[in-house]
Amino acid sequence: MKPIYILNGPNLNRLGKREPEIYGTTTLAEVEEMCRTAAGERPIEFRQTNSEEKLIDWVHEAIDEASGIIVNPAAFTFTSLALLDALKMFKGPIIEFHISNIHRREPIYHRSYVSMTATTVIAGLGATGYQLAVRAMELLLKEQRR
Ligand code: CA2
């Protein structure tokens, strides 16, 4: 069974430690644990980086190794054509995930490049929403969605 890659972008290593009014108090380590529980038998690769280069390298790795990608690209959502190009090469389902509802925030957070290739977008459920993304990914895999 191929793993689901759960990739997290810049600053998300600080989750639960700053701006709790927007991002809550759950830490990224706790999110990883929830995802592992939600995934059951399915292996997951859960990673975070502050580097655009590393995130793109992980998407390239996922092209060969992953069944699906759940990606919270954080600020790269709104800036990175390189990330969009890499994700476009992935043949399986992609869930773009945001802790906050980016559409309720300032206009700079409204235009996502990643949405142009994502199978679906989940935003605004808070950090615990990651586990729903894992369950949604199982449905997308079952239905062979892209
Ligand atoms: O809501 C999300 O998940 C975001 O992807 C988070 C990004 C933001 O640029 C997106 O608009 C929405 C920012 C992540 C900043 O990470 C922090 C984590 C903890 C405390 C403060 C910032």
Side-chain angles (χ1 to χ4, degrees):
M1 196 190 290
K2 280 180 150 186
I4 298 170
Y5 273 47
I6 306 176
L7 304 179
N8 296 282
N11 298 308
L12 287 164
N13 52 319
R14 306 296 299 161
L15 196 65
K17 296 166 187 157
R18 279 187 39 218
E19 299 184 63
E21 65 288 355
I22 302 177
Y23 300 109
T25 54
T26 307
T27 65
L28 203 62
E30 289 166 339
V31 168
E32 177 173 357
E33 204 43 54
M34 281 177 211
C35 288
R36 291 197 185 282
T37 304
E41 303 276 279
R42 169 88 60 186
I44 63 169
E45 279 296 325
F46 190 98
R47 301 181 190 171
Q48 187 277 331
T49 180
N50 295 324
S51 149
E52 184 175 8
E53 184 184 346
K54 201 179 250 186
L55 191 59
I56 290 164
D57 285 344
W58 288 346
V59 173
H60 292 174
E61 181 186 314
I63 290 166
D64 298 323
E65 306 293 339
S67 52
I69 299 176
I70 298 170
V71 60
N72 184 346
F76 297 145
T77 311
F78 316 101
T79 62
S80 181
L81 279 172
L83 178 61
L84 171 63
D85 286 343
L87 287 167
K88 276 183 175 169
M89 292 185 243
F90 185 68
K91 299 269 192 295
I94 298 171
I95 299 180
E96 176 185 347
F97 182 87
H98 299 283
I99 297 163
S100 61
N101 179 358
I102 54 176
H103 299 290
R104 206 164 72 172
R105 301 183 61 192
E106 303 90 313
I108 49 162
Y109 295 112
H110 292 175
R111 183 75 168 85
S112 163
Y113 284 123
V114 172
S115 295
M116 295 169 85
T117 195
T119 311
T120 187
V121 182
I122 300 175
L125 288 171
T128 55
Y130 275 91
Q131 57 196 322
L132 295 177
V134 170
R135 287 163 63 183
M137 179 58 78
E138 284 299 344
L139 285 179
L140 295 177
L141 289 169
K142 204 163 141 195
E143 293 170 0
Q144 295 188 308
R145 294 274 305 278
R146 171 63 177 92

